[in-house]
Amino acid sequence: MSSDATVTPVTGGFWEDTGKRGIASWIFSTDHKRIGLLYLYSVLGFFLVGVFLGVLIRLELMAPGPTIMTAKTYNAVFTVHGVVMIFLFIIPGIPASFGNLVMPIQIGARDVAFPRLNLLSWWLYAIGAVIVLTSLFTGGGAPDTGWTFYVPFSARTGTNVSLAVFGVFVLGFSSILTGVNFVTTIHRLRAEGMNWGRLPLFVWSLYATAWVQILATPIVAITLLMVIAERTLGVGLFDPSRGGDPVMYQHLFWIYSHPAVYIMILPAMGVISEVIPVFSRKPIFGYKMIAVSSVAIAAAGSVVWGHHMFTSGMSDTAVMVFSFLTFVVAIPSAIKVFNWVSTLYRGSISLEAPMLFALSFILLFSIGGLSGLILGAAATDIHVHDTHFVVGHFHYVMFGGTGFAFFAAAHYWLPKFYGRRYKEKPAIVAWALMFVGFNVMYFTMQVLGMKGMPRRYFDYLPEFARLNFVATVGSWILVTGLIIMLVNLWRGLLKGEPFEGNPWGGASLEWITATPPPTENFEEDPVVTHGPYDFKRAGEP
Amino acid sequence: MDNQLISTTQAVDPVFIFIFGACLVMLLGITAAMILFVVRYRRSRSPEPTSDRDGSLWLEIVWTLLPTLLVLAMFYYGWSGYLTLRTVPKGALQTKAVARMWAWSFQYENGKTSDKLYVPVGKPVQVNLESKDVIHGFFVPAFRIKRDVVPGMKNHVWFVASRPGSYDIYCSQYCGTGHSAMIGKVEAVPEAQFTAWLNEAKEEKEGDEGMAHEVFEKFGCLGCHSTDGSQKVGPTFKGLYGSKVNVTRGGKKETVTADDGYLTESIKTPAAAIVEGFPPIMPAPEGITDAQVKAVVEFIKGLK
């Protein structure tokens, strides 16, 4: 009998042991793994929406002049691309999906500290997302302000900014609640023997991230309410003719939105700190420095927001201080990179899919980080600020960094939760295409920015035409790789070869429990006796 | 050109070279080490790890201190270059750039206005920035200068054009539908030519056409409305007069003939009737006189 005809869905563990089935067993579940998967599919769905819009942007820019849409549509497309990617994909991305899936298991807990609050977070995320989506098709139509909602433009435009901004406001609560939940969980629910020095670095990174989520998110929430007040009541908070100040908005916005960059990248660094030692079979180099640097990045990253505003007209003293602090933040990031690379030294390196994504993370993140030095230095920032150089820079960090780490996490952890695995060869082909397409696209953008092409440009002068065409071709290669990767993951996880035990030899706690893990994660609460990278003792708790 | 004067480009480019150079060395170092380790210690060649070293205090100190020194140097170098951008040389020519959605216009101290920024070669020029509506950004890549044009705020930039030529001015701060079309020009000409241009009596074009061009210059109309039939942000002027136009007035659709009355209304109160397919974004031209409106209408009449 053909095995294809009767595809057995995923079985065992938390998929079955509650005896409940159907949609209600998911959207009302308080199991952190089910909530993690809910988040995973929600954020992936929005990621695909964002990718589609991104492809449209590149198609429009393929040639000068109007190509496939009008200027007004283009402005809405890049705004929605930004809003969806930032607020609906990358901020909740790794922490809410893989953080929820893996973190409680890694610390030996049965669940997070507040399981029902965890479910509420997902519901708030879903409600916020629905509000944002509604704003695209109601009122004056999709917002056309850019994801930064700068006043006074956002206070004047006829598009549906108020509703979109309110959606983001609701999403903020989801993020804050996840932060509270994770901080409490990591403090209170560690298994016996799981002291702070034995926490996996992924958990350390989530811990640092959670504090940023708790402390910074309320500021953007208030700021967005101010935009709504400005639009509906005409308060004049940001209107100079009524004593307001448009630059004040930028300060308030970036006080959150720069730390938000670390909400996006820190968990990604945590993933890399897990994958590299496992596939090198060697303890992570500089555990303490990596853990401390996560906290240092979270702390120092909270006081560098002004580097988004060197041209805004704020005082030269402020430019000096923010430029200095920005360089300070570069140091802990460099320390992490050096420690990751040193972990490879004299290891036994296996280039499987998670490792390829992790190694390319180091490279792409380094390019993104180093180009950030150009943006941190006051003199050079002035030339490249608000150009395609910045667009290239943050895609290197956010997509080449966080995106590739997300894919590394997917290839590393999802087989554990599905009990089935993807095929290795297509995964490697997909990775190679994505890596090449990515660099063709975003490196070209950085060159365009150096030549002076501003960002958020619907049209451009003929001298930028050739490079824009190259970047668009890069986007096709990238998307081809992405599709192969997703199809391979999807097919593999649903009907691939069984995945059992601990094939990669991981030493953290998720590798000692059953595959897939049972609802409360362990048959009996583990008593931890060694660190997460003590591979000689992999298999023992 | 004053030999002591360092141009903005000369102040910024060495900083680029220094930081790019340092970054390239770091990137090549990291990449080379990664590739070397991956090849040398791949599992087929190195089936078991040959070390379980999990840290080194000395290495951590070295690779904390070295990047610290490097970034401090970058900070200092970047800051000193920035100071040059911010320190306007004495005796700079004073000009004003007025930004509005979506056009630049320029004013000189003697009251002369222009839609291009004419400057003398080799002389420092200070551009004072003023916005009539939202935030714009004054960006001249050739001079490495950029500054936001914020309503209600006094911002300025300065530059010196070392060679005669025509340099693009972009709007760098996103400002709506016509953002990417908001391109201006710096025209650097020899000083004698500049002085003659600055002081020449206003070229009085005869009658309505002259006045219409004055209006276009003042309000930046041609940023959105073309005179050759090509489609920009707003409807073209060419062939507009006498044509049938589909508009939305007070939420209702109707078809009107573009006659004197319609055109006058559309200039003075642009929000009253919105042409189908175009966004309702044109600001009412503040302080326009009836004679000026009439001149523009006559000009449009002439564009068959």
Side-chain angles (χ1 to χ4, degrees):
Chain A
M1 84 179 245
S2 149
S3 61
D4 281 350
T6 52
V7 173
T8 30
V10 199
T11 51
F14 71 103
W15 295 89
E16 299 197 316
D17 59 9
T18 58
K20 290 180 188 149
R21 288 182 158 272
I23 184 96
S25 75
W26 287 89
I27 62 174
F28 299 119
S29 169
T30 54
D31 178 3
H32 68 94
K33 296 177 289 300
R34 289 190 174 223
I35 294 174
L37 287 176
L38 276 182
Y39 265 117
L40 181 72
Y41 288 108
S42 319
V43 298
L44 257 183
F46 285 111
F47 173 67
L48 292 179
V49 172
V51 167
F52 175 71
L53 294 171
V55 169
L56 289 185
I57 294 174
R58 278 316 325 164
L59 279 176
E60 174 53 46
L61 292 178
M62 184 164 70
T67 313
I68 58 165
M69 58 181 103
T70 64
K72 196 170 159 52
T73 313
Y74 175 81
N75 294 340
V77 168
F78 77 67
T79 301
V80 178
H81 169 79
V83 170
V84 165
M85 283 300 205
I86 301 253
F87 294 110
L88 295 175
F89 170 60
I90 205 161
I91 287 181
I94 293 178
S97 59
F98 290 105
N100 255 314
L101 267 177
V102 178
M103 184 271 283
I105 310 184
Q106 282 197 325
I107 65 170
R110 294 180 194 172
D111 207 314
V112 293
F114 309 113
R116 272 174 291 193
L117 199 62
N118 203 16
L119 181 63
L120 177 65
S121 300
W122 181 79
W123 272 97
L124 286 172
Y125 170 83
I127 293 167
V130 167
I131 296 175
V132 170
L133 290 184
T134 309
S135 78
L136 309 185
F137 305 105
T138 56
D144 62 343
T145 58
W147 78 277
T148 47
F149 301 114
Y150 268 22
V151 292
F153 185 79
S154 64
R156 294 166 52 121
T157 179
T159 54
N160 206 351
V161 171
S162 299
L163 195 61
V165 158
F166 182 69
V168 174
F169 176 78
V170 174
L171 289 169
F173 279 96
S174 165
S175 189
I176 295 171
L177 293 182
T178 301
V180 170
N181 219 336
F182 280 14
V183 166
T184 317
T185 307
I186 294 167
H187 271 281
R188 303 299 301 162
L189 296 188
R190 281 171 288 123
E192 200 183 331
M194 175 57 78
N195 55 40
W196 289 89
R198 286 179 182 163
L199 278 187
L201 288 164
F202 181 55
V203 178
W204 265 109
S205 73
L206 289 175
Y207 181 73
T209 306
W211 277 111
V212 183
Q213 286 173 287
I214 296 170
L215 294 174
T217 316
I219 299 171
V220 80
I222 291 295
T223 311
L224 295 176
L225 286 188
M226 285 171 158
V227 172
I228 298 177
E230 193 85 349
R231 284 178 66 85
T232 54
L233 308 172
V235 184
L237 293 166
F238 307 122
D239 178 355
S241 68
R242 281 176 289 175
D245 181 1
V247 176
M248 177 60 85
Y249 171 83
Q250 299 176 20
H251 279 292
L252 290 170
F253 181 81
W254 289 114
I255 286 176
Y256 165 75
S257 296
H258 192 78
V261 171
Y262 300 105
I263 297 179
M264 307 172 205
I265 193 70
L266 278 172
M269 293 169 157
V271 171
I272 302 311
S273 305
E274 296 298 301
V275 170
I276 294 217
V278 168
F279 288 84
S280 309
R281 289 201 178 150
K282 198 169 150 263
I284 187 97
F285 200 84
Y287 172 91
K288 274 189 194 148
M289 287 302 278
I290 295 182
V292 169
S293 64
S294 284
V295 181
I297 290 174
S302 298
V303 290
V304 301
W305 73 84
H307 67 214
H308 296 268
M309 299 167 57
F310 286 172
T311 69
S312 69
M314 78 180 172
S315 77
D316 291 338
T317 314
V319 171
M320 180 175 77
V321 171
F322 282 119
S323 170
F324 177 78
L325 292 170
T326 302
F327 279 111
V328 170
V329 141
I331 299 164
S333 304
I335 291 173
K336 279 181 191 276
V337 169
F338 296 140
N339 279 300
W340 290 325
V341 174
S342 303
T343 304
L344 302 172
Y345 178 66
R346 299 183 73 177
S348 169
I349 298 165
S350 166
L351 286 182
E352 289 166 75
M355 185 63 162
L356 285 171
F357 279 108
L359 291 175
S360 47
F361 168 99
I362 297 181
L363 197 61
L364 300 176
F365 175 75
S366 294
I367 298 176
L370 291 169
S371 67
L373 298 177
I374 293 279
L375 293 161
T380 44
D381 174 77
I382 300 302
H383 177 60
V384 287
H385 181 82
D386 271 330
T387 67
H388 267 66
F389 187 87
V390 176
V391 182
H393 158 75
F394 69 70
H395 280 93
Y396 263 100
V397 180
M398 297 288 98
F399 190 176
T402 309
F404 273 60
F406 188 85
F407 305 143
H411 287 88
Y412 180 53
W413 277 315
L414 287 184
K416 174 78 200 172
F417 290 90
Y418 280 82
R420 294 183 181 279
R421 61 167 307 166
Y422 50 85
K423 289 202 171 90
E424 189 65 23
K425 261 192 193 148
I428 290 173
V429 170
W431 164 80
L433 284 171
M434 288 167 68
F435 184 75
V436 171
F438 182 95
N439 283 297
V440 169
M441 176 168 171
Y442 293 112
F443 197 81
T444 312
M445 283 194 192
Q446 296 204 307
V447 179
L448 274 169
M450 279 301 294
K451 287 167 158 285
M453 179 169 161
R455 65 190 289 204
R456 295 171 171 175
Y457 253 36
F458 164 70
D459 191 8
Y460 47 82
L461 294 176
E463 68 230 48
F464 300 126
R466 190 184 306 169
L467 287 171
N468 269 296
F469 183 76
V470 171
T472 300
V473 172
S475 75
W476 299 336
I477 304 174
L478 176 57
V479 166
T480 309
L482 195 61
I483 292 169
I484 297 175
M485 182 192 82
L486 290 174
V487 170
N488 183 41
L489 274 174
W490 178 255
R491 290 170 58 105
L493 294 175
L494 288 186
K495 45 186 173 179
E497 298 287 310
F499 180 90
E500 285 159 348
N502 186 5
W504 292 312
S508 42
L509 291 182
E510 73 269 33
W511 300 109
I512 62 162
T513 185
T515 304
T519 295
E520 292 197 331
N521 298 339
F522 301 95
E523 295 298 322
E524 53 188 88
D525 292 340
V527 178
V528 181
T529 57
H530 63 83
Y533 309 107
D534 191 350
F535 295 109
K536 287 184 184 136
R537 298 176 65 190
E540 306 169 30
Chain B
M1 179 169 163
D2 184 346
N3 285 331
Q4 299 302 310
L5 186 64
I6 294 183
S7 76
T8 49
T9 314
Q10 286 165 329
V12 172
D13 283 359
V15 188
F16 267 116
I17 291 167
F18 169 62
I19 300 182
F20 272 132
C23 288
L24 196 65
V25 172
M26 301 256 286
L27 186 65
L28 289 179
I30 292 166
T31 314
M34 259 172 59
I35 293 176
L36 185 76
F37 293 164
V38 167
V39 172
R40 172 67 187 80
Y41 303 112
R42 63 186 187 277
R43 193 155 295 168
S44 56
R45 194 173 156 182
S46 166
E48 287 300 324
T50 49
S51 159
D52 56 0
R53 187 90 188 260
D54 62 358
S56 152
L57 184 62
W58 277 111
L59 274 177
E60 299 290 351
I61 290 173
V62 167
W63 66 43
T64 304
L65 279 183
L66 283 183
T68 304
L69 294 176
L70 190 62
V71 296
L72 285 180
M74 288 179 184
F75 160 72
Y76 175 75
Y77 215 20
W79 171 246
S80 54
Y82 176 79
L83 279 184
T84 311
L85 296 182
R86 299 296 302 150
T87 315
V88 185
K90 279 199 182 116
L93 174 76
Q94 295 292 316
T95 64
K96 183 159 96 176
V98 179
R100 57 164 56 80
M101 293 156 121
W102 293 279
W104 299 100
S105 62
F106 304 96
Q107 296 173 12
Y108 295 81
E109 277 185 312
N110 67 358
K112 177 132 184 153
T113 60
S114 166
D115 58 353
K116 287 182 179 172
L117 180 58
Y118 283 93
V119 298
V121 169
K123 288 279 171 204
V125 180
Q126 173 170 344
V127 187
N128 299 298
L129 305 170
E130 182 184 318
S131 168
K132 291 287 188 194
D133 38 50
V134 299
I135 303 179
H136 300 277
F138 183 91
F139 175 31
V140 187
F143 305 138
R144 319 284 189 259
I145 54 167
K146 180 181 292 132
R147 194 81 171 165
D148 287 4
V149 189
V150 184
M153 189 167 185
K154 285 197 165 115
N155 272 346
H156 67 265
V157 289
W158 80 273
F159 64 86
V160 52
S162 316
R163 272 186 292 274
S166 175
Y167 306 93
D168 293 319
I169 303 169
Y170 299 123
C171 177
S172 55
Q173 189 62 267
Y174 172 72
C175 59
T177 315
H179 172 53
S180 64
M182 194 169 157
I183 294 176
K185 289 271 184 209
V186 174
E187 297 288 349
V189 296
E191 190 168 5
Q193 192 185 336
F194 172 77
T195 314
W197 173 85
L198 186 64
N199 296 319
E200 78 192 358
K202 217 168 212 174
E203 196 185 315
E204 287 293 344
K205 277 191 193 162
E206 288 301 302
D208 285 340
E209 192 168 347
M211 193 184 266
H213 279 289
E214 237 171 63
V215 172
F216 295 158
E217 216 161 77
K218 182 165 178 203
F219 295 104
C221 313
L222 303 185
C224 301
H225 302 282
S226 77
T227 55
D228 59 2
S230 64
Q231 192 188 327
K232 285 183 159 180
V233 177
T236 178
F237 289 158
K238 188 181 166 91
L240 175 58
Y241 190 83
S243 67
K244 298 275 185 211
V245 184
N246 296 322
V247 298
T248 309
R249 184 191 298 277
K252 284 185 197 143
K253 291 193 173 172
E254 58 183 54
T255 304
V256 296
T257 305
D259 54 12
D260 291 53
Y262 166 80
L263 289 176
T264 305
E265 178 199 56
S266 293
I267 295 168
K268 289 170 106 173
T269 50
I274 302 300
V275 182
E276 205 174 287
F278 293 95
I281 46 177
M282 176 173 154
E286 237 171 83
I288 195 167
T289 65
D290 286 342
Q292 285 174 321
V293 174
K294 187 167 171 299
V296 174
V297 173
E298 291 304 321
F299 175 86
I300 294 173
K301 265 186 206 177
L303 286 176
K304 292 293 177 199

